[in-house]
């Protein structure tokens, strides 16, 4: 089907399709984490499956990611490493951490299915090494398989639910070169599993619009090398096209704090899956929610104090750095400075558990906090009073203001360094299509749109305003499977 | 057209409408500020106009509102009261105040048309008294016509644009009883103007879905006393149905910080105008944006210091209280305490310009800040250090930390009172349909949806994340007029 009509994303009536270029029971748009899991499950359920991928290879953002999958409730890996967890405990934490308005049913469902999902990933060949990385940070420095990735063991969550690490990361083949990171090691066995199951793939295929028969989705129009291609989906279409981090109008209209700072997404994340479904009346959720990375060394942060543009502390510095990023961007207008004593600075540089990511030289070095305060241009007393209050309690190894754990609390005196970390944030979008527990895309009237399924970051998953590392590969894989199962049955 | 089929909001093909109960050139859904302005302009352009109102009378949320209309650029009222302003100066302020991602074209357009819009309102009979109310607060206590309503004269905006008051409020007939507030005095002459122009109104008519002929909107299905009613719109339908503050699922999915705290909206604000347009593929914008009221007496706030749950100041206390509300709810997790010295407290109570709104007795009274800090359960030093830094600069009548104006800065010493203001916020939603400068509802593909127009709080107007009092009646009336003009021409 060749066509030169202008591009539109409005649905095309099936009656206007003169011939179909491809046909499958289940058509999956996007060969990232959600797409591959949907394809595997649909194929296992007996459906013929065709994946449409806009780039020249499988992987999506997932293959470039660190690879965390947020799982818990007592996975074999958690158990082997001595951590107690239960679905209820996991849900309690996630409901506290993922923001007001989070989809409670989805979180409970996700927690209940988490152990089975871990086993499923392992059965597909995803490797996890039985080793725990205990340090604050973004990722383990080697090939450890488990880590805290949401501030479970930091204030305020360590008093809300029993802390358990849930960041499961596939064993990396070569962490040093970065070529085979956790995300790659997750995607590779899954793509191989899909291929063994006979899943078809068409690359260089950009989806443009959905094809409908009345209210039912029956296919997709895609573009390949300038030509329109019509793909019939006898049972269902699964949208798994990723976030809208690179669609400028959507960022401005829905998540404007990310203007100019997309990260951990790929340029292909242009929101197309969201938009073609919106054109059919699909409901959205949590479009303003964003993951926010903070480009400060967690080992430095934990040993210092982080202050805002007024010299005030605002977060327990030993928590998940993604929480620091969100608090900094959304609550502190992206203003942050790290203040750290000379001894703690040296310790952070030289500790065996040091992680050199995001390291920078100090912006200011001073003989005293008062001198640093003046050098930074802060009003007299703004920073010195903050440090005085911190030191007063640090002398008793406590942080009643923000609850940093005692192991990281030491008074700041003598020479100090200041790091200008204003604007040190970037991130990707978490909002998208509203889906049910079977990954059916919901219309604004509350009913599912017949024949349309979605998973991954083109949907609103378990996150509302908050985030934990591993939630995206986690709910993307989990609800990707559901999408494949539901579409195959359709 | 009687019908007992289940309610749906999906569009109905015109071919399925067997008979039309009403017909007009322009059909307006909602008889609030946006609806009445659309109706007036459509009628003046020669169209027959029918308003569908779901309650038993005109007014909507507007008639219950304080009545501010945000106007500037040199209105006759501004000029008569000695304030210089220009459209450029107004736009500079609004672009700084209304949040990242605000619709620049719409703001510039709104500022350029502001003087004409003021004159139009006056020509419709809306009264404004030439008097200025200079105090911090929500509303003038009497029938003054002009006031600062966005923090124009407070930090940080007073150094970004030349301060000019732009909160224009219709002269109230009886402020004491509250029966004829500014919003009522705005709506009444407009409703009378519409009636004189022969605009028809059908009350008790709840819109349910749009009627379409292909891609074009040609009517509305409404429900009245359990019966479905079909209304044909020969030229266009204008949606002016208000916010989604009372639609629980939308609040949870789009603006979850408002869960449990809707305010300054009416229960009829169920998002129906947004949803029927979404069902046609309409694009949304800034769905997370909210106005947030703060229920503290502005005269008290300006004379004291406002601190968060950690005892830290976070905003210039003499600014627009709506900014205080947003900062408290969104950036401080709804934690706020007012700390005020005894003398300042007495002054706030007894000043001639005192406004008794939102007054409460102190939660704590103490002989010193240290005692108050302990009574409040704050960590030792948390509040005392805040007050020390404040006092240090207040001694020189300055507030370098947050820029409160010198007239409000005095040291806090001696007996002191503390007010627990946690959870003192509530608000309404600002997000909605994305419209162009002619109030045409835009499809997600960027093109207008033929025959569909919208204005008021079912649209995303000039506000992104920020707010100024008068923006809702302001852009509602301004783009309501545009909707009426465009629909009549259609």
């Amino acid at each position: 089907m060749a066509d030169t009509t202008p591009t539109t994303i409005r649905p095309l009536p099936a009656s206007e399709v003169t011939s179909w270029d491809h046909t499958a029971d289940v058509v999956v748009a996007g060969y990232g984490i959600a797409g591959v899991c949907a394809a595997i499950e649909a194929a296992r359920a007996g459906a013929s499956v065709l994946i449409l991928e806009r780039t020249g290879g499988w992987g999506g953002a997932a293959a470039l990611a660190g690879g965390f999958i947020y799982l818990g409730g007592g996975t074999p890996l958690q158990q082997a490493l001595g951590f107690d967890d239960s679905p209820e405990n996991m849900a309690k934490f996630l409901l506290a951490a993922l923001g007001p308005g989070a989809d409670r049913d989805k979180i409970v469902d996700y927690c209940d299915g988490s152990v089975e999902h871990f086993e499923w990933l392992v059965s597909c060949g995803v490797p996890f090494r039985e080793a725990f990385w205990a340090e604050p940070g973004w990722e383990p420095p080697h090939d450890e398989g488990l880590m805290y990735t949401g501030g479970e063991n930091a204030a305020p969550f360590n008093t809300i639910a029993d802390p358990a690490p849930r960041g499961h990361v596939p064993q990396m083949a070569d962490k040093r070169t970065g070529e085979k990171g956790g995300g790659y090691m997750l995607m590779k066995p899954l793509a191989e599993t899909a291929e063994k199951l006979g899943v078809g793939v068409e690359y260089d295929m950009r989806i443009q619009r959905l094809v409908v028969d009345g209210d039912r989705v029956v296919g997709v129009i895609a573009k390949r090398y300038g030509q329109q291609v019509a793909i019939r989906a006898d049972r269902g279409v699964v949208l798994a096209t990723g976030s809208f981090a690179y669609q400028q109008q959507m960022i401005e209209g829905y998540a404007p704090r990310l203007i100019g700072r997309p990260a951990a997404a790929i340029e292909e994340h242009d929101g197309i899956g969201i938009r073609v479904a919106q054109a059919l009346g699909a409901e959205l959720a949590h479009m303003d929610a964003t993951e926010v990375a903070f480009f400060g060394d967690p080992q430095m942060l934990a040993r210092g104090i982080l202050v805002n543009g007024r010299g005030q502390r605002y977060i327990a510095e030993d928590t998940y750095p993604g929480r620091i990023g969100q608090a900094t961007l959304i609550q502190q207008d992206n203003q942050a400075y790290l203040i750290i004593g000379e001894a703690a600075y040296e310790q952070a540089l030289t500790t065996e558990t040091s992680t050199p990511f995001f390291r920078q030289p100090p912006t200011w070095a001073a003989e005293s906090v008062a001198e640093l305060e003046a050098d930074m241009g802060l009003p007299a007393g703004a920073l010195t009073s903050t440090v005085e209050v911190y030191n007063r309690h640090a002398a008793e190894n406590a942080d009643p203001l923000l609850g940093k754990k005692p192991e990281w609390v030491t008074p700041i005196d003598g020479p100090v360094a200041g790091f200008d970390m204003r604007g040190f944030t970037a991130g990707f979008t978490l909002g998208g299509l509203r889906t049910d527990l079977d990954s059916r895309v919901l219309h604004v009237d509350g009913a599912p749109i017949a024949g349309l399924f979605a998973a991954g970051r083109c949907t609103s998953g378990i996150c509302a305003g908050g985030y934990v590392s591993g939630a995206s590969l986690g709910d993307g894989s989990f609800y990707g499977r559901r999408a494949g199962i539901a579409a195959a049955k359709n």
Side-chain angles (χ1 to χ4, degrees), chain A:
Chain A
M1 177 183 171
D3 197 319
T4 55
T5 52
T7 301
T8 174
I9 57 174
R10 301 196 190 201
L12 180 71
S15 56
E16 294 181 26
V17 177
T18 49
S19 70
W20 297 98
D21 300 291
H22 300 275
T23 297
D25 292 331
V26 175
V27 173
V28 178
Y31 202 168
I33 184 64
V36 72
C37 291
I40 290 169
E41 292 288 40
R44 285 185 177 163
S48 64
V49 182
L50 178 64
I51 301 178
L52 310 176
E53 165 57 36
R54 91 179 245 182
T55 71
W58 56 258
L64 304 172
F68 280 117
I69 310 148
Y70 198 86
L71 297 168
T75 65
L77 191 62
Q78 287 181 310
Q79 290 187 18
L81 292 166
F83 293 101
D84 283 333
D85 198 9
S86 69
E88 295 71 28
N89 186 51
M90 180 182 177
K92 196 187 287 181
F93 166 75
L94 288 177
L95 286 167
L98 295 184
D103 187 331
R104 174 178 289 268
D105 291 346
K106 204 173 261 185
I107 287 176
V108 169
D109 176 55
Y110 181 78
C111 295
D112 285 346
S114 194
V115 170
E116 186 277 336
H117 189 53
F118 173 84
E119 288 164 349
W120 183 88
L121 291 167
V122 170
S123 77
C124 289
V126 180
F128 294 95
R129 189 179 146 227
E130 282 183 14
F132 173 63
W133 180 250
E135 294 296 311
W138 281 106
E139 293 177 10
H142 322 99
D143 60 355
E144 294 86 353
L146 192 65
M147 182 173 163
Y148 283 104
T149 58
E152 300 84 350
N153 61 336
F157 303 123
N158 53 3
T159 58
I160 292 173
D162 295 332
R166 301 192 186 95
H168 291 61
V169 57
Q171 184 171 10
M172 306 183 202
D174 191 345
K175 176 79 180 183
R176 285 161 306 173
T177 66
E179 276 173 20
K180 293 180 179 174
Y184 177 87
M185 296 303 289
L186 170 66
M187 279 302 299
K188 187 165 185 288
L190 293 174
E192 287 167 357
T193 300
E195 275 168 41
K196 274 183 214 149
L197 288 164
V199 166
V201 191
E202 294 289 333
Y203 290 105
D204 303 310
M205 195 85 98
R206 300 169 67 129
I207 70 159
Q208 292 197 297
R209 55 202 299 206
L210 297 169
V211 182
V212 292
D213 181 2
D215 281 343
R216 185 185 168 87
V217 175
V218 298
V220 174
I221 300 295
K223 198 168 214 172
R224 183 188 231 171
Y225 313 134
Q227 298 250 314
Q228 286 201 350
V229 183
I231 304 101
R232 196 171 77 195
D234 287 336
R235 301 193 199 171
V237 170
V238 177
L239 299 171
T241 52
S243 82
F244 61 95
Y246 281 91
Q247 214 283 356
Q248 188 64 17
Q249 180 182 301
M250 292 177 77
I251 288 291
E252 288 178 4
Y254 290 113
R257 290 204 179 263
L258 280 195
I259 292 172
R261 51 178 70 95
I266 52 178
E267 290 189 14
E268 288 77 11
H269 280 196
D270 63 357
I272 185 66
I274 299 173
R275 290 185 292 140
V276 295
Q278 274 186 281
L280 275 180
E283 179 62 306
L284 308 173
H286 300 300
M287 292 295 281
D288 62 312
T290 56
E291 183 265 4
V292 183
F294 185 77
F295 302 123
D297 178 358
Q299 288 284 336
M300 289 277 178
L301 295 173
R303 286 175 171 81
I305 60 169
L306 196 65
V307 301
N308 63 17
R310 297 184 292 275
Q312 304 161 331
R313 289 179 70 214
Y314 59 94
I315 194 160
E317 294 86 355
D318 60 344
T319 191
Y320 167 55
R323 271 182 67 77
I324 296 177
Q326 289 190 323
T328 302
L329 178 62
I330 299 164
Q331 300 195 310
Q332 307 300 336
D333 296 322
N334 224 2
Q335 305 291 300
Y337 302 99
L338 170 65
I339 313 301
I340 186 168
E342 191 176 47
Y345 177 63
E346 291 301 328
Q347 191 189 37
L349 282 180
T350 56
T351 176
E352 270 182 43
T353 54
S354 173
T355 51
F357 310 129
F358 311 131
R359 195 158 288 165
Q360 57 166 341
T363 316
W364 302 276
E367 291 306 309
S368 69
V369 174
E371 186 186 317
L372 177 62
E373 176 179 84
D375 290 349
M376 291 172 67
L378 287 170
L383 182 63
T384 48
S385 67
T386 295
V387 174
E388 276 165 22
V389 174
Y390 179 74
N391 284 350
R392 175 176 183 162
H393 298 284
E396 293 166 22
N397 205 228
D399 177 24
L401 201 69
L402 285 152
K404 184 158 71 165
K405 290 188 292 295
E407 63 199 272
W408 300 110
V409 174
T410 38
I412 296 171
D413 46 26
V416 294
F419 294 77
D420 186 349
M421 295 189 165
R422 291 176 292 178
F424 269 40
T425 57
F428 58 88
T429 60
L430 300 173
L433 302 170
R434 182 185 280 272
T435 53
D436 68 9
L437 304 186
D438 289 318
S439 301
R440 298 182 296 181
V441 175
L442 299 175
H443 190 273
V444 285
D445 73 0
I449 295 175
L452 191 62
F453 307 82
R457 273 298 62 83
C458 66
T459 68
S460 175
I462 58 173
C463 301
Y467 194 68
V468 295
S469 279
S472 291
L473 297 181
D475 69 26
S477 56
F478 191 90
Y479 289 104
R481 293 176 60 198
R482 292 285 179 84
I485 292 166
K489 267 194 207 158
N490 199 37

